[in-house]
C-alpha cells in the first residue's frame, strides 16, 4: 500500500513539473526550456539591457542634450530660480544645471558592476514569473526588488562624479547665495547627491525597459543562445 501511495505521489509531482515547463516559452513549439535556462535567459536579457543603457547614457550630452533625461534643478530650487537670476546668479544657475548633468553622465559608467551584482541575486522562481509576465516584467522586478540597495551603492559614485565636474561647487554657491538673502525664510538644502542619484537611476531603468522590449520583440537583439531559446517562442 505504501509503495502505491509513493508511486502516485511521484506521478503527481512529475505531472506538475511537466505542466510548469509546458507554460514556459518554447514548450508549445516542441522546444524544451528548463527552469535554469529561463532564469539564465532573463539574467542575460537584463545584463544586455543594462550594458546598452550604460553605453547610451555614459556619454557627453546623453543627459544635458536630452529633452527626456535632462536633469533640471531640484523642485525647491526651481521655485526660486527667477529670484536667483534676478540677483545676478543666472550664470551660476546655468553652470550648475550643466555640471549636474555632466556628473550624471560620468556616474553612469560606475553603475554596471553594481547592477550586475544585483542581477546575480535573482532566483530561478523570480525569473520564471518574469518570463510569463508583461513585456517590461524584468525591468519592473529589478526596479522593485533592488532600487534601495542600488541607490545606496550608487550614491558614492554619483557624489564623486559631481565633485569631479564641480557640480557640487556651483550648486552649493547657488543655494548658499539664496540662503544668505535677508528675505529668505525657508532655507534650501545644499545636498545634491540624492536628487541626482534618483534621476540617474530612473534614466537607467527607462533605458533598460526599452532594451528589454527590443529583446522580447526583435530576434536580432538576442545575442546568446539561451536568450534565443527562451525568447524565441510565441508567448
Amino acid at each position: 500500500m505504501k509503495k502505491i501511495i509513493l508511486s502516485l505521489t511521484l506521478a503527481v509531482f512529475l505531472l506538475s513539473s511537466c505542466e510548469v515547463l509546458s507554460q514556459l516559452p518554447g514548450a508549445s513549439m516542441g522546444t524544451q526550456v528548463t527552469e535554469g535556462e529561463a532564469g539564465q535567459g532573463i539574467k542575460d536579457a537584463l545584463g544586455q539591457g543594462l550594458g546598452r543603457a550604460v553605453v547610451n547614457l555614459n556619454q557627453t550630452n546623453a543627459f544635458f542634450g536630452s529633452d527626456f533625461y535632462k536633469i533640471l534643478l531640484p523642485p525647491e530650487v526651481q521655485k526660486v530660480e527667477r529670484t536667483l537670476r534676478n540677483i545676478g546668479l543666472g550664470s551660476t544657475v546655468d553652470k550648475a544645471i550643466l555640471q549636474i548633468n555632466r556628473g550624471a553622465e560620468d556616474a553612469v559608467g560606475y553603475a554596471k558592476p553594481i547592477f550586475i551584482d544585483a542581477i546575480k541575486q535573482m532566483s530561478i522562481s523570480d525569473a520564471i514569473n518574469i518570463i510569463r509576465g508583461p513585456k517590461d516584467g524584468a525591468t519592473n522586478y529589478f526596479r522593485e526588488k533592488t532600487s534601495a540597495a542600488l541607490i545606496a551603492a550608487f550614491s558614492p559614485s554619483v557624489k564623486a562624479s559631481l565633485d569631479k565636474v564641480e557640480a557640487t561647487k556651483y550648486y552649493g554657491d547657488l543655494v548658499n547665495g539664496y540662503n544668505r538673502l535677508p528675505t529668505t525664510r525657508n532655507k534650501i538644502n545644499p545636498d545634491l547627491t540624492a536628487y541626482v542619484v534618483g534621476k540617474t537611476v530612473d534614466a537607467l531603468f527607462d533605458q533598460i525597459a526599452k532594451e528589454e522590449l527590443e529583446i522580447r520583440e526583435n530576434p536580432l537583439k538576442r545575442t546568446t543562445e539561451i536568450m534565443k531559446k527562451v525568447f524565441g517562442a510565441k508567448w
Side-chain angles (χ1 to χ4, degrees), residues 130-144:
I130 289 169
I131 204 74
R132 296 172 180 159
K135 293 182 178 181
D136 58 351
T139 305
N140 287 338
Y141 167 87
F142 197 42
R143 181 192 290 271
E144 292 170 7

Side-chain angles (χ1 to χ4, degrees), residues 1-11:
M1 186 66 179
K2 290 183 177 179
K3 290 183 177 180
I4 294 174
I5 293 173
L6 180 61
S7 297
L8 288 173
T9 302
L10 180 59

Side-chain angles (χ1 to χ4, degrees), residues 42-43 46-54 57 107-122 138-139 141-143 145-155 157-158 197-209:
I42 286 293
K43 291 183 178 183
L46 273 171
Q48 179 176 305
L50 172 63
R52 289 181 176 172
V54 169
L57 295 175
V108 166
Y110 299 98
K112 189 171 182 178
I114 296 170
F115 278 42
I116 292 297
D117 285 343
I119 292 173
K120 290 178 182 178
Q121 305 304 314
M122 182 182 292
T139 305
Y141 167 87
F142 197 42
R143 181 192 290 271
K145 297 292 185 179
T146 66
S147 282
L150 288 171
I151 287 171
F154 195 33
S155 293
S157 298
V158 172
V197 167
K199 292 293 186 181
T200 306
V201 170
D202 283 346
L204 280 165
F205 278 127
D206 183 74
Q207 284 283 304
I208 293 169

